[in-house]
Amino acid sequence: MATATETPIDAEKIRRDFPILETIIHGDKRLVYLDNAATTQRPQAVIQAVVDAYEKHYANVHRGIHWLSEQSTNLYEEARVRVQQFLGASSPHEIIFTTGATASINLVARSWGDVNVKAGDEILLTEMEHHSNIVPWQQLAERTGATIKWIPITETMQLDLASLEHLLSSRTKLVAITAVSNVLGTINPVAEIVKRAHAYGAIVLVDAAQSAPHEATDVQQWNADFVAFSGHKMMGPSGVGILYGRESLLEAMPPFMGGGSMIRRVTLEGFEPADLPDKFEAGTPPIVPALGLRAAIDYLEQVGLSRVAAHERVLTRYAHQRMSQLDSVTLIGSDPEIKSGIVTFVMNDVHAHDVASRLDSVGVAIRAGHHCAMPLHKKLGLVATNRASFYLYNTLEEVDALVAGLAQIHEWRATHRGRRRT
Ligand code: PMP
């Protein structure tokens, strides 16, 4: 949260940095972009960093003995150091550039999982995970014969921490949890779960896809073993993500993908892997996206993550307050005072896709569907929900536009229903 001395974000001023937010759609509707949990928009500084990279610095990294390649390599490695600082990691060797959170989690499941998980072992997940933090573990369980267990959610949409007492045991090899639910907005007590899992010798992976863009991340405070997130959800380019791993674990893990750059030596008989972090970056890495991510981190930290979190809290609180006054809307998620900037809801008698497409017609972009969290939706007894999600450039007026759009849908539905009855 913002400290008492911090000034609140001036979202109108911030918006001027984002060219796409000026877009007019459907003839005369100003775009109201409330789909930030799916992906965020980019400020000019990030767009310019990408343009600069292609115009001034671009060559392949770690290969050429020429000026441009050295420049490109230096910038790429500087970006790694920037990510290290952003996360509070001990060394740049702990930062692996991947293509996104999904790729990062799959890397751990394949490389760490295949070596360390065996039949009879247990993997502990939560009922609020995104498919990206479910399916790689189901695939690992299929390969190894391990069993998956689930930390349930409570009626207040929190994790049931009391269940850890019987779910954790010496059989638990890995606990994989999301820091923030992409559906419920719930902020999970990562450090506490890590502590309890470590007491049983389990390794913990944190899916930070929905937390890293919105609140400061300190891997030391979490004491997590692996942390995964994506650049595109924090104003960076798509196609780049991060895997943070504890150095001792990464050192012991075999490379996941083979190819150029990840080797020290290759002979007809075999290969010797390179040192960290190259060992896990086979092939040409996301060079330009990594430089864009660096610019996004610079932008984010210049604004201040605590101010971003405080701004989103204001929007979330306001959205809850206004939306709870709409009879036909049911809000789904944890208490707005303690959750992140995600507001998920359903409208009585209106399919989530109809809600989203009617809102789109008035310029409001939100998400509809299962949000890649089918097991959570099943638990909630729902097939699909709607989700509005905020970021630093959203305004109270945009929440008003969402609420006005929902009120219109309510009216439309009431009229439509009335007509059908006659
Ligand atoms: N985890 C969570 C919680 C997410 O919200 C998402 C993206 N919706 C992912 C993982 C996957 O991220 P990506 O598609 O960028 O790999």
Side-chain angles (χ1 to χ4, degrees), residues 47-279:
I47 297 168
Q48 195 55 48
V50 171
V51 171
D52 281 351
Y54 283 123
E55 283 186 354
K56 300 178 191 159
H57 317 296
Y58 187 72
N60 213 332
V61 293
H62 302 148
R63 288 155 203 241
I65 319 261
H66 57 77
W67 183 86
L68 203 53
S69 176
E70 254 176 50
Q71 270 235 326
S72 183
T73 304
N74 289 344
L75 288 169
Y76 180 69
E77 290 307 322
E78 278 170 32
R80 192 189 307 278
V81 171
R82 192 73 187 86
V83 176
Q84 176 208 341
Q85 293 161 345
F86 177 70
L87 296 177
S90 312
S91 152
H93 290 170
E94 297 185 318
I95 307 300
I96 312 297
F97 281 114
T98 65
T99 56
T102 303
S104 301
I105 297 169
N106 276 276
L107 191 164
V108 176
R110 286 277 173 180
S111 172
W112 181 87
D114 281 359
V115 172
N116 291 284
V117 175
K118 292 178 285 305
D121 287 345
E122 290 176 2
I123 298 164
L124 187 54
L125 309 179
T126 85
E127 287 180 342
M128 62 170 81
E129 296 310 314
H130 185 280
H131 297 164
S132 292
N133 202 25
I134 296 178
V135 181
W137 308 118
Q138 290 176 329
Q139 292 173 311
L140 174 64
E142 272 177 21
R143 289 197 298 277
T144 59
T147 307
I148 297 184
K149 298 216 156 177
W150 304 88
I151 304 175
I153 52 169
T154 63
E155 285 195 348
T156 57
M157 307 292 165
Q158 311 289 306
L159 289 179
D160 178 5
L161 294 189
S163 71
L164 285 178
E165 215 148 290
H166 61 88
L167 285 171
L168 282 168
S169 75
S170 57
R171 287 187 299 277
T172 317
K173 285 289 167 309
L174 176 103
V175 179
I177 50 165
T178 192
V180 169
S181 159
N182 69 315
V183 177
L184 307 170
T186 308
I187 301 172
N188 288 322
V190 172
E192 186 186 341
I193 296 171
V194 170
K195 194 167 158 207
R196 292 180 66 176
H198 280 174
Y200 287 90
I203 292 298
V204 183
L205 177 139
V206 181
D207 175 354
Q210 296 293 347
S211 68
H214 306 279
E215 57 184 55
T217 310
D218 180 345
V219 293
Q220 310 296 341
Q221 194 258 331
W222 276 351
N223 200 18
D225 302 294
F226 297 107
V227 176
F229 60 95
S230 298
H232 70 93
K233 289 187 200 278
M234 51 189 290
M235 300 181 283
S238 58
V240 63
I242 297 297
L243 173 66
Y244 157 83
R246 199 185 287 286
E247 192 163 355
S248 54
L249 288 169
L250 291 176
E251 281 287 2
M253 282 157 54
F256 165 40
M257 288 204 287
S261 295
M262 51 68 72
I263 46 87
R264 189 198 299 274
R265 192 171 299 110
V266 183
T267 62
L268 293 182
E269 287 72 39
F271 73 96
E272 205 183 305
D275 291 333
L276 287 175
D278 301 355
K279 177 167 85 167

